[in-house]
Amino acid sequence: MGNSDHFTPVEKSFLNDSLKNNKVNVPYVVVNNFPNLGMLTAFRFLEWVSENPKGVISLPTGKTPEYFIFWTKHILENWGKENIIELRKKHHLVFNEKPSLADLYFVQIDEFYPIDSSQANSFYHYVNKYYIEGLGLKPENALLINCKEIPLASGKNIQEIFPDNKVNLELRYREAQNPLEELQKESIFLIDNWCSQYEQKIRKLGGIGFFLGGIGPDGHIAFNIKGSDPYSTTRLTSTNFETQAVAAGDLGGIEISRERLVITIGLETITYNKNAVAIIFAAGEAKAPMVKDALELPPSNLYPASVLTHLPNGRFYLTSGAASLLKDSIDEYYHSGVWSQEKTDKAVMSLTEKLNKYAEHITLDDLRADQYTRLIPDLNENTVQSVIDSIKNKIQKGTARLGNEIFYHTGPHHDDISLGLLPYIHYQSRDETNISHYSILTSGFTAVTNKFLVKILNDTLSFIKKGDIEMLQYPDFFEIGYKNKKDKDVYHYLINIASGNADEKSRAVSHRMVRNIVELWNLKTQQELEEKISEIITVINSSYDGQNPAPKIQTLKGMIREYEEELVWAHFGVRTKNVHHLRLGFYTGAIFTEKPNRERDVIPILQQLRDINPTVISLAFDPEGSGPDTHYKVLQAIAEAVREWGKEKDLSQLKIWGYRNVWYQFHAADVTHIFPVSLNAMNTMDESFTNSYLSQVEASFPSYRYNGKFSSLSIQTWVEQLQAVQLVLGKPYFYDNESPRLRATHGLLFFKEMNVEEFLRSARELEKSTEGVH
């Protein structure tokens, strides 16, 4: 990797100055954030197209291509404009003639099976919208996977053969038990035959010339999951839990994605053309382990992306987070810049894990023998103690009592604050001189399944018809009464958690649903209300799973999440007036959420900052822009609001707390505060989550790391963080401590405190990469 001769002119323009010294399976390029990843990929694509105007391309679906698609269109549409000419010069895309995409051949990578190709959540629809129409490719030059056109037994359609959308691949190997299974068995072999023909068509074109794909949580590329044969071809296959968890968002819940099969090109399909440019792009720290496995371990079926080793033009394009576990990145971290206590902490903690040895047993010889700890300046007998002291200091900061603070806790989605900080918030809220506000910045409606909404609507209709929603009888209810007593809905629910009365809890939810529906549709009578609920149920039942609902139904789903959030904080005595629902307009449920804009998305936050005048702001901290895209777009909006607020008042004393939760985690060396979490605190968080986030208990949209609800995953993270710190401090530090709080520790919560300048600097890096182009 020390030689950059095998990189193209575009790639060289993105290579940073540091030399890559360690051997990897596939050459790679690192950029600093997600938008720049899209820019690099777009420039490389156009460079390739200029040399292969009639080439065969295969491009990915999902959220990762957002900035690839944006930059490709933006460069082509503004080819001759001065700022784009400058950008093209900078990145060595210097030919005068604009590349034409018109004569390219397009190959679709994969598709769910079965799925109606007209659905907006099918990959067929995505490919047509963003690539065929979006990039101006010719439909006749596209090889697509349209499930409706794949022949089935007796000329029947998908619904006739697979009425419940389930395809049982066991029928390939066993006898059919009834006439329907006979048809299904025959159909599966017909689909297999179609897949073979699809493969042959790709090979007749000479194979794929330019392949771009993401990497899944199990290391998959296309739908070639962990364990796939490197000689695999296009096929109908099942997936694994990690892949199903990621697909849950597309399909309307894991209960659906668990049952759905996929058609995917194979690993050999990707590598068939030995001159192919095959690029895997990956963003964010969550992808770092898969990237490390594919690039640094011997190529294997266990790491499907390692198949690119066989292609001279195979590449990985990575954000710095996705590259963070590569040996090159770790070397660069320790060898560049000023040495800090953070580096000492990280190096020694890594050594304790590598040797599986408590810090107190690490010798000076151990430190000198390790390639990173030997770099610590003035290495001596006190070096390990400095790390122990550093970690203890973070725990002291984490347990320090705060008073007379005004907390403005923000979350991109409902449950983010709770999952990220709840035990610490609970600890500080016991001081009644502190005031807390909770602001959820998006409606989060995509996390409410159709099935869940229909259940609540049916319950509500039943209560209304039985006369159990008494407020409907109040004379002014439909004029003004529906707006009042929202705190009562919350209290009604919580008091029945205490008594264990499930029917009354359900009635409390129905009270809030009635208020929401009356408000949204401006209803004036009970009859209108009953008709509207029945109508919504009909609409939902006639829509497909994963369909983006009509705007008012989106809002209604979001209002369920808002009620859930109020329930959580009411556990700790917080009134609904201190729980704010901003519903920022950039969040629409579209595949690519818009970039926040000033009037719609920044001003509402700025107004809250002025009104609340916080001394502390907490936020989900994803400076690279690589977690769920809502996270980094919310981060941009908050940063801009803070920047504006700073023009009006002195913010030098304002503290910013960056927290992380189930999507990505901090290293203990990177944080300023470590807070001990007891079994009691874990139980409190889990119970408040389970009792309040009703739409999330069945975990329809789980993390690929854990098949269950997010509260359990948060607890698992705290436990893992304690295990890492115990290697430094020793177990007796906790169980033998003078402090009862520390003796009760069974997990650790991490967060990072920043001043305004530090926070804005980290957010600014992301913003600069998208500036002036939307």
Side-chain angles (χ1 to χ4, degrees):
M1 281 302 294
N3 185 340
S4 67
D5 291 348
H6 48 281
F7 287 108
T8 72
V10 161
E11 288 172 333
K12 285 178 184 175
S13 77
F14 281 88
L15 285 172
N16 60 27
D17 297 331
S18 60
L19 212 56
K20 308 292 183 203
N21 296 313
N22 294 297
K23 188 178 182 316
V24 288
N25 297 325
V26 183
Y28 67 93
V29 181
V30 180
V31 294
N32 61 353
N33 59 46
F34 185 34
N36 279 351
L37 185 69
M39 189 199 288
L40 158 63
T41 313
F43 270 106
R44 176 66 186 107
F45 174 62
L46 294 173
E47 181 182 46
W48 182 86
V49 171
S50 70
E51 296 163 2
N52 302 273
K54 295 188 175 179
V56 180
I57 63 171
S58 204
L59 303 175
T61 52
K63 289 183 184 289
T64 311
E66 175 179 6
Y67 286 100
F68 162 71
I69 293 167
F70 165 75
W71 276 109
T72 301
K73 290 178 73 168
H74 187 70
I75 295 162
L76 289 173
E77 287 168 6
N78 299 281
W79 185 261
K81 289 189 180 167
E82 200 172 317
N83 62 333
I84 295 299
I85 291 171
E86 284 305 307
L87 203 56
R88 289 199 287 114
K89 280 182 187 168
K90 179 183 174 184
H91 295 301
H92 304 169
L93 199 69
V94 288
F95 34 86
N96 291 324
E97 196 173 331
K98 180 164 79 169
S100 168
L101 310 186
D103 293 323
L104 294 170
Y105 283 81
F106 184 92
V107 172
Q108 185 175 336
I109 294 174
D110 46 24
E111 181 60 281
F112 299 114
Y113 191 89
I115 195 167
D116 187 326
S117 55
S118 64
Q119 290 182 193
N121 59 345
S122 73
F123 294 157
Y124 177 88
H125 179 271
Y126 182 111
V127 160
N128 274 288
K129 180 174 179 178
Y130 293 108
Y131 294 136
I132 311 298
E133 293 166 31
L135 298 182
L137 307 178
K138 289 178 182 164
E140 60 268 29
N141 285 356
L143 194 55
L144 303 181
I145 304 171
N146 182 341
C147 293
K148 286 202 292 193
E149 291 180 359
I150 298 174
L152 300 174
S154 305
K156 292 182 181 291
N157 64 34
I158 289 172
Q159 282 312 113
E160 290 171 307
I161 301 285
F162 305 112
D164 54 2
N165 284 326
K166 290 180 188 174
V167 182
N168 184 357
L169 291 183
E170 285 180 13
L171 287 169
R172 280 182 180 148
Y173 315 110
R174 70 163 172 82
E175 289 299 310
Q177 304 293 312
N178 54 53
L180 180 60
E181 281 199 350
E182 291 277 5
L183 290 170
Q184 290 176 338
K185 183 174 179 123
E186 186 184 337
S187 295
I188 288 167
F189 287 125
L190 285 170
I191 299 165
D192 290 340
N193 190 55
W194 182 92
C195 290
S196 297
Q197 291 171 347
Y198 190 83
E199 181 76 23
Q200 289 309 311
K201 287 174 186 172
I202 297 171
R203 295 188 179 206
K204 268 190 191 159
L205 292 170
I208 296 164
F210 184 95
F211 173 85
L212 177 63
I215 185 166
D218 63 330
H220 72 244
I221 55 173
F223 272 125
N224 295 286
I225 61 173
K226 189 173 188 172
S228 293
D229 187 337
Y231 301 103
S232 54
T233 56
T234 304
R235 63 205 184 280
L236 174 69
T237 183
S238 53
T239 58
N240 53 13
F241 168 72
E242 296 97 322
T243 306
Q244 292 156 9
V246 172
D250 291 315
L251 293 174
I254 187 130
E255 50 275 17
I256 297 143
S257 62
R258 190 180 283 125
E259 303 290 350
R260 206 60 58 98
L261 301 187
V262 294
I263 291 173
T264 180
I265 63 174
L267 294 174
E268 193 181 81
T269 321
I270 296 167
T271 59
Y272 174 74
N273 175 354
K274 295 308 169 195
N275 295 316
V277 170
I279 297 165
I280 299 296
F281 60 170
E285 294 163 6
K287 293 291 171 74
M290 307 96 196
V291 168
K292 179 181 173 62
D293 289 346
L295 290 186
E296 294 187 343
L297 294 177
S300 153
N301 291 29
L302 299 176
Y303 318 116
S306 65
V307 76
L308 266 60
T309 307
H310 307 304
L311 294 176
N313 297 316
R315 295 285 186 274
F316 271 63
Y317 291 171
L318 308 167
T319 64
S320 49
S324 61
L325 293 183
L326 294 176
K327 195 161 186 323
D328 283 322
S329 297
I330 297 168
D331 285 353
E332 188 180 343
Y333 170 77
Y334 287 114
H335 284 280
S336 65
V338 179
W339 194 271
S340 61
Q341 184 62 43
E342 177 195 293
K343 287 185 182 181
T344 300
D345 290 353
K346 199 169 274 189
V348 172
M349 286 190 77
S350 298
L351 185 61
T352 63
E353 286 174 26
K354 194 160 46 175
L355 301 179
N356 195 24
K357 215 172 182 183
Y358 287 105
E360 63 178 337
H361 299 140
I362 298 279
T363 66
L364 202 47
D365 286 342
D366 290 333
L367 295 173
R368 287 179 180 137
D370 180 73
Q371 60 180 323
Y372 300 126
T373 51
R374 72 163 71 117
L375 301 172
I376 297 170
D378 306 321
L379 198 61
N380 60 46
E381 283 84 357
N382 291 321
T383 298
V384 171
Q385 189 58 46
S386 78
V387 176
I388 293 170
D389 292 343
S390 170
I391 299 295
K392 284 181 179 177
N393 184 45
K394 293 177 184 193
I395 293 174
Q396 279 178 343
K397 276 189 182 172
T399 50
R401 289 280 188 187
L402 303 178
N404 297 302
E405 301 279 9
I406 302 171
F407 299 113
Y408 179 61
H409 296 296
T410 71
H413 308 90
H414 306 83
D415 76 19
D416 278 327
I417 305 170
S418 169
L419 293 168
L421 279 178
L422 190 138
Y424 184 71
I425 289 172
H426 186 205
Y427 178 67
Q428 297 297 359
S429 69
R430 289 170 187 162
D431 184 324
E432 295 193 1
T433 67
N434 292 323
I435 298 168
S436 296
H437 288 262
Y438 304 87
S439 191
I440 312 304
L441 279 75
T442 70
S443 90
F445 66 84
T446 56
V448 178
T449 62
N450 288 348
K451 181 179 162 191
F452 184 82
L453 178 59
V454 166
K455 182 190 181 308
I456 286 187
L457 289 171
N458 277 321
D459 289 347
T460 302
L461 198 54
S462 169
F463 284 123
I464 292 169
K465 287 181 172 173
K466 286 191 290 188
D468 285 347
I469 310 289
E470 291 158 14
M471 63 187 182
L472 288 171
Q473 308 312 317
Y474 298 168
D476 67 343
F477 178 76
F478 288 95
E479 279 65 53
I480 189 74
Y482 68 88
K483 294 180 182 176
N484 302 329
K485 298 190 178 176
K486 287 192 172 181
D487 278 305
K488 188 180 173 189
D489 303 338
V490 171
Y491 182 76
H492 183 172
Y493 184 90
L494 294 183
I495 200 75
N496 285 293
I497 288 176
S499 64
N501 189 329
D503 199 53
E504 280 300 304
K505 283 196 297 183
S506 182
R507 195 164 74 88
V509 175
S510 297
H511 270 86
R512 180 58 70 91
M513 287 300 285
V514 164
R515 295 183 199 280
N516 292 343
I517 294 166
V518 168
E519 178 186 333
L520 276 173
W521 279 274
N522 193 25
L523 305 178
K524 297 300 176 193
T525 65
Q526 181 170 325
Q527 185 181 341
E528 282 182 23
L529 173 63
E530 291 181 23
E531 287 169 358
K532 180 54 67 178
I533 293 173
S534 298
E535 180 193 316
I536 299 166
I537 292 170
T538 303
V539 167
I540 293 289
N541 283 337
S542 62
S543 65
Y544 58 81
D545 291 310
Q547 183 171 353
N548 206 3
K552 279 191 179 175
I553 296 177
Q554 283 183 3
T555 306
L556 185 62
K557 282 187 168 188
M559 289 166 114
I560 291 173
R561 302 234 60 201
E562 291 168 1
Y563 178 54
E564 292 176 345
E565 192 71 20
E566 290 167 10
L567 292 176
V568 167
W569 301 114
H571 275 70
F572 308 99
V574 178
R575 286 179 292 191
T576 55
K577 71 184 181 70
N578 280 35
V579 183
H580 311 280
H581 311 293
L582 287 195
R583 303 182 191 171
L584 296 185
F586 77 83
Y587 183 92
T588 61
I591 287 186
F592 304 136
T593 52
E594 296 174 39
K595 190 184 179 209
N597 74 39
R598 182 185 154 79
E599 291 307 314
R600 182 191 61 196
D601 304 309
V602 176
I603 298 296
I605 302 171
L606 177 58
Q607 198 53 55
Q608 282 204 326
L609 293 174
R610 289 169 178 155
D611 294 345
I612 293 167
N613 198 22
T615 57
V616 178
I617 298 174
S618 77
L619 45 84
F621 191 58
D622 186 20
E624 191 188 66
S626 53
D629 63 346
T630 308
H631 283 215
Y632 72 81
K633 285 169 180 168
V634 162
L635 185 77
Q636 284 178 327
I638 295 172
E640 189 54 38
V642 169
R643 199 175 287 121
E644 290 286 314
W645 196 35
K647 295 174 185 174
E648 301 170 10
K649 67 170 286 182
D650 175 14
L651 300 183
S652 58
Q653 299 306 304
L654 179 66
K655 296 188 280 281
I656 310 279
W657 290 346
Y659 64 82
R660 296 186 171 180
N661 52 42
V662 296
W663 301 110
Y664 37 91
Q665 284 77 43
F666 282 117
H667 189 284
D670 297 328
V671 297
T672 55
H673 290 60
I674 295 178
F675 180 70
V677 184
S678 65
L679 288 175
N680 185 38
M682 290 177 189
N683 196 40
T684 299
M685 195 277 275
D686 187 53
E687 283 207 0
S688 65
F689 185 97
T690 307
N691 287 329
S692 306
Y693 294 118
L694 310 173
S695 64
Q696 306 308 299
V697 172
E698 288 188 14
S700 290
F701 305 97
S703 162
Y704 61 83
R705 291 173 52 220
Y706 182 78
N707 189 2
K709 57 187 180 176
F710 285 143
S711 55
S712 302
L713 182 53
S714 256
I715 290 167
Q716 182 180 303
T717 299
W718 298 337
V719 170
E720 288 165 1
Q721 289 174 172
L722 171 64
Q723 286 165 350
V725 168
Q726 274 179 335
L727 273 175
V728 179
L729 300 183
K731 289 182 180 174
Y733 172 80
F734 293 100
Y735 69 72
D736 223 8
N737 203 288
E738 288 296 304
S739 159
R741 166 161 294 282
L742 286 169
R743 289 201 299 275
T745 303
H746 290 283
L748 293 174
L749 184 157
F750 296 168
F751 66 93
K752 181 184 178 78
E753 183 173 290
M754 296 162 279
N755 61 31
V756 168
E757 193 183 331
E758 285 174 287
F759 165 59
L760 292 181
R761 199 182 313 123
S762 66
R764 181 79 182 134
E765 283 308 307
L766 176 65
E767 194 193 24
K768 271 196 301 199
S769 58
T770 58
E771 205 166 60
V773 292
H774 280 255

